[in-house]
Amino acid sequence: FLLVGGGAAAGWGYFVAKPWAIRLQASVESDLQGGAAELQLGSDAIHQANKDHNLALLDQAVGHFTKSRTLFQRASSRIQGEWTVRDAQQLPYLGRYLKPRVGAVTHVAAMGVALNDAGTDTAAVDRVLLAPGNKDQHGGERLIGVLNGAGPGLAKVRANLDRASAAAALVNTAVLPTAQQKTFLKTKDQIQSALAGIAEFQRLSPVLLEILGANGARTYLIEQVDPAELRGGGGFVGSYSLLSADHGALKLGKTGDVGAIDYPYPLKGNKKYIPPPNVSLQFTNHGWVFGDSNF
């Protein structure tokens, strides 16, 4: 009985189990590679859409992301839905071999799904950025609208990239094929770079809104340095301009020569005299004036 039973088990393993395992591995690998290829096509379409200001390419990108997401999900479902694989992971020897590999497939697929969700949300943000602007609005006014409108979409992109990063961190790279390890590690680095870029934009956006007067009118004094009187620590101001910003509308106001403000120079004893705060006192006897403010 043992001989016959052992022979039957060996026969089943060779003629049935091995071909089945090969087919399963091939189908899972095909889904993962197909998902990666579609993800790259979607990313390329996003890049080209921004380069060419072509909204139609954003639709193509979303199509690629949708197809890629389906393939990554199918790869995960294939490997998790096979009861043989699931039960074999409980066996002492097979379990130690299978668990990290099944986990790698599952986590890579989860990373791919999250990246596709991030790509789809990126397309939505770019659609706002690339949409034709209101002809009655100036550039600053339109930029305020874009900054305010992009905020919620970027928050979703960041959340999806966080998901992708978390899934990637769970992948045991040692069980990945050597040819795929480099690509996987590059993708992990790109995720971190994208997260850093979004974080930087989210820090910069409120500053831009303030500068553009989104929260109220602002007036800026621009000091234009005299090119003939530059110094290692700055130089002397030769002229000035006033720039106003009110809810994105920028207007250049008064501009003029510094001399109209500074002359006549106040000397000691004059009520407008201000002692020079630095070494300029060594070569002048007049007080501190506006033209010295960048020295």
Side-chain angles (χ1 to χ4, degrees):
F1 176 79
L2 290 173
L3 288 173
V4 173
W12 180 87
Y14 186 79
F15 292 107
V16 179
K18 185 176 180 181
W20 167 83
I22 291 173
R23 287 195 300 272
L24 176 63
Q25 177 176 320
S27 60
V28 169
E29 187 175 359
S30 175
D31 285 342
L32 291 177
Q33 290 180 345
E38 289 292 332
L39 178 60
Q40 185 62 56
L41 289 173
S43 178
D44 292 343
I46 289 278
H47 176 76
Q48 198 63 38
N50 281 277
K51 184 178 179 180
D52 298 343
H53 295 269
N54 188 340
L55 289 171
L57 290 175
L58 294 178
D59 295 328
Q60 293 183 24
V62 171
H64 288 302
F65 291 138
T66 301
K67 187 174 181 179
S68 174
R69 193 181 197 279
T70 300
L71 290 169
F72 278 120
Q73 284 183 318
R74 190 167 70 184
S76 183
S77 298
R78 285 186 194 275
I79 202 73
Q80 295 187 58
E82 288 288 346
W83 66 268
T84 311
V85 175
R86 185 172 60 250
D87 293 347
Q89 292 182 73
Q90 308 307 315
L91 299 176
Y93 175 76
L94 277 178
R96 289 195 299 271
Y97 178 82
L98 283 176
K99 282 183 180 179
R101 287 161 175 79
V102 171
V105 171
T106 303
H107 298 315
V108 167
M111 180 188 73
V113 169
L115 286 175
N116 280 294
D117 291 341
T120 299
D121 291 334
T122 298
V125 172
D126 285 351
R127 196 175 298 278
V128 175
L129 297 174
L130 298 178
N134 186 336
K135 294 181 179 179
D136 297 328
Q137 287 185 329
H138 296 286
E141 294 170 316
R142 183 165 179 265
L143 181 56
I144 287 177
V146 168
L147 291 173
N148 286 327
L154 280 176
K156 291 176 66 178
V157 174
R158 184 173 184 175
N160 287 323
L161 288 175
D162 281 331
R163 282 172 47 215
S165 179
L170 296 174
V171 176
N172 182 356
T173 55
V175 302
L176 296 178
T178 304
Q180 296 175 8
Q181 288 180 5
K182 185 177 180 180
T183 301
F184 174 76
L185 293 174
K186 180 180 178 181
T187 301
K188 284 184 67 176
D189 289 341
Q190 289 174 333
I191 292 172
Q192 296 308 313
S193 295
L195 282 169
I198 291 177
E200 183 65 24
F201 180 84
Q202 289 176 325
R203 286 193 294 268
L204 178 63
S205 182
V207 178
L208 291 175
L209 290 171
E210 287 289 343
I211 290 174
L212 291 169
N215 302 317
R218 304 284 187 271
T219 302
Y220 300 103
L221 169 64
I222 304 173
E223 301 183 3
Q224 289 124 205
V225 179
D226 183 350
E229 296 187 279
L230 299 179
R231 299 293 187 274
F236 291 98
V237 179
S239 60
Y240 69 92
S241 297
L242 295 178
L243 180 70
S244 66
D246 188 4
H247 293 86
L250 303 177
K251 292 183 180 179
L252 182 62
K254 186 177 180 181
T255 184
D257 191 314
V258 171
I261 300 174
D262 290 348
Y263 295 126
Y265 288 143
L267 301 176
K268 284 184 178 181
N270 188 294
K271 64 179 182 178
K272 293 184 178 181
Y273 177 82
I274 299 174
N278 57 31
V279 295
S280 63
L281 182 61
Q282 298 177 8
F283 58 85
T284 182
N285 60 356
H286 64 74
W288 186 252
V289 292
F290 174 61
D292 302 326
S293 59
N294 191 54
F295 183 82

